[in-house]
Amino acid sequence: MKLKYLVFVSVFFLNYSMCSGQVEDTLELYDIFNLRGQTNRVPEFIKCKQAPAVEFDALHHCLAWELSDGDKSASYPIKRVSVFSEIESNFRMASSGFHERYRSTFRLEIDSSGQVSDVKTISHCVESISENRIKDKLLVTLWEPALKDLVPVASKLVLEIIYEDQICHEEYWAKNKFGLLQWFPTYRKELMSIYLEKGVMWDLDILSPMMTYKDSIALSKSFDIVALKAHGYIDSLETIFVEEKESYKQEDCRTSPAMAPGWIDGFYNYMEKELKEELKRGRQ
């Protein structure tokens, strides 16, 4: 009865994912749950392939260094990195008392030489760093291979990354940045639709010069110029955030930092001005 229940729970939660990603099971690899015997050994992290002269002896330090931008003396805000079997990981996700706001979970496949052969995303609950970037770093880690009856074997494990709460500021800016990046492409489609359908809008300073364009190709070229300026402006805000984010760490994560609302208003004001000026310059 206990075995049937264990199999049921394991299969049920294999299809359970959080935030993004999906894992497909395979019988070709040894799960570390089955590699904890007298003559068996689970894989153990050794080092980062691209680490500096002083090698890190813990995966936590390895990833904190690898994921840091610019100044490598400042580590990425990782609280801890833990390794589980898939069965253990499924029970953790099912536990009602297990709540971590910022975390990423990946399934690693390690070949019999200790090389990471594949990384799949189970969940990725942060927006300020891409899951592909983390996966790229995990692919260049080295491990002591798993042993089954004293023979090196390919294996699989679940790796969980828990981030420091201070990453909330990076998350806040990432969400605002994404909104800014999406704004002009969406507005551009709306304006092009108005132009093609000879529609109307409330802002005559945009509508009047836009309707003087001889065709949609010429108008699209003007929109391209404005889109480049939008990206340039957002890049400048990103630079400011990177330069000043150390000071934001002192802010309470439960309140929005004072910087972002002013930056967003400044972006919209800048874009409105640039759009109107470009439409006047480029009209035919």
Side-chain angles (χ1 to χ4, degrees):
M1 184 66 181
K2 289 184 178 179
L3 179 60
K4 289 182 179 179
Y5 176 77
L6 182 62
V7 172
F8 170 78
V9 172
S10 178
V11 172
F12 178 82
F13 283 107
L14 273 173
N15 295 320
Y16 179 84
S17 62
M18 298 176 61
C19 303
S20 67
Q22 183 65 47
V23 174
E24 296 180 1
D25 197 19
T26 174
L27 299 177
E28 298 178 357
L29 302 171
Y30 286 94
D31 188 287
I32 63 172
F33 185 81
N34 300 314
L35 291 170
R36 289 174 176 162
Q38 206 167 23
T39 60
N40 297 336
R41 183 186 71 198
V42 299
E44 295 182 4
F45 169 75
I46 300 176
K47 65 178 180 178
C48 306
K49 280 186 179 178
Q50 300 175 355
V54 179
E55 298 291 357
F56 295 116
D57 59 357
L59 187 53
H60 167 275
H61 296 127
C62 164
L63 289 177
W65 183 86
E66 287 282 3
L67 295 174
S68 296
D69 288 315
D71 184 9
K72 291 296 186 179
S73 64
S75 295
Y76 198 77
I78 294 176
K79 184 185 296 183
R80 66 179 181 273
V81 179
S82 303
V83 171
F84 304 98
S85 71
E86 286 192 314
I87 293 175
E88 292 168 330
S89 177
N90 292 333
F91 275 109
R92 282 174 63 80
M93 287 192 292
S95 173
S96 59
F98 179 66
H99 297 289
E100 292 283 359
R101 185 176 182 184
Y102 304 119
R103 71 186 182 96
S104 302
T105 311
F106 301 93
R107 179 180 184 264
L108 274 64
E109 296 180 5
I110 302 172
D111 65 23
S112 58
S113 67
Q115 306 277 339
V116 178
S117 58
D118 191 34
V119 180
K120 289 185 174 68
T121 303
I122 297 177
S123 66
H124 183 62
C125 301
V126 295
E127 296 186 38
S128 55
I129 188 167
S130 72
E131 62 185 85
N132 286 335
R133 185 178 172 198
I134 302 173
K135 289 165 73 173
D136 287 344
K137 301 304 181 184
L138 290 173
L139 281 168
V140 293
T141 56
L142 293 175
W143 300 70
E144 286 187 6
L147 294 183
K148 181 67 174 176
D149 298 326
L150 300 179
V151 177
V153 294
S155 57
K156 60 183 178 179
L157 56 84
V158 173
L159 187 144
E160 177 187 78
I161 304 171
I162 303 297
Y163 305 92
E164 298 282 0
D165 289 342
Q166 68 191 46
I167 203 177
C168 68
H169 302 300
E170 280 91 342
E171 290 291 284
Y172 182 82
W173 167 236
K175 291 176 182 178
N176 280 284
K177 179 183 176 182
F178 179 79
L180 297 182
L181 287 170
Q182 293 297 309
W183 177 79
F184 186 71
T186 302
Y187 190 34
R188 174 179 181 160
K189 290 180 181 178
E190 181 183 339
L191 293 177
M192 187 62 78
S193 176
I194 291 172
Y195 173 82
L196 294 174
E197 297 172 8
K198 295 184 173 17
V200 296
M201 62 183 295
W202 64 271
D203 196 333
L204 296 179
D205 288 338
I206 292 177
L207 178 66
S208 297
M210 186 173 69
M211 288 306 185
T212 63
Y213 277 73
K214 64 179 182 180
D215 55 44
S216 60
I217 296 176
L219 180 58
S220 185
K221 289 181 179 178
S222 285
F223 285 154
D224 287 342
I225 294 172
V226 179
L228 287 174
K229 292 183 177 180
H231 279 277
Y233 194 95
I234 294 170
D235 286 345
S236 69
L237 295 180
E238 177 78 15
T239 300
I240 294 173
F241 176 76
V242 170
E243 292 174 347
E244 299 182 358
K245 69 178 181 179
E246 287 299 318
S247 63
Y248 301 141
K249 291 179 182 179
Q250 307 305 319
E251 299 284 343
D252 190 334
C253 284
R254 292 173 297 180
T255 61
S256 300
M259 52 87 185
W263 291 2
I264 295 169
D265 290 343
F267 171 79
Y268 289 135
N269 292 334
Y270 170 81
M271 288 302 299
E272 182 181 17
K273 174 177 172 292
E274 290 298 320
L275 177 60
K276 291 178 179 179
E277 290 183 357
E278 180 56 37
L279 289 174
K280 290 178 181 178
R281 283 194 298 266
R283 63 185 175 182
Q284 304 296 318

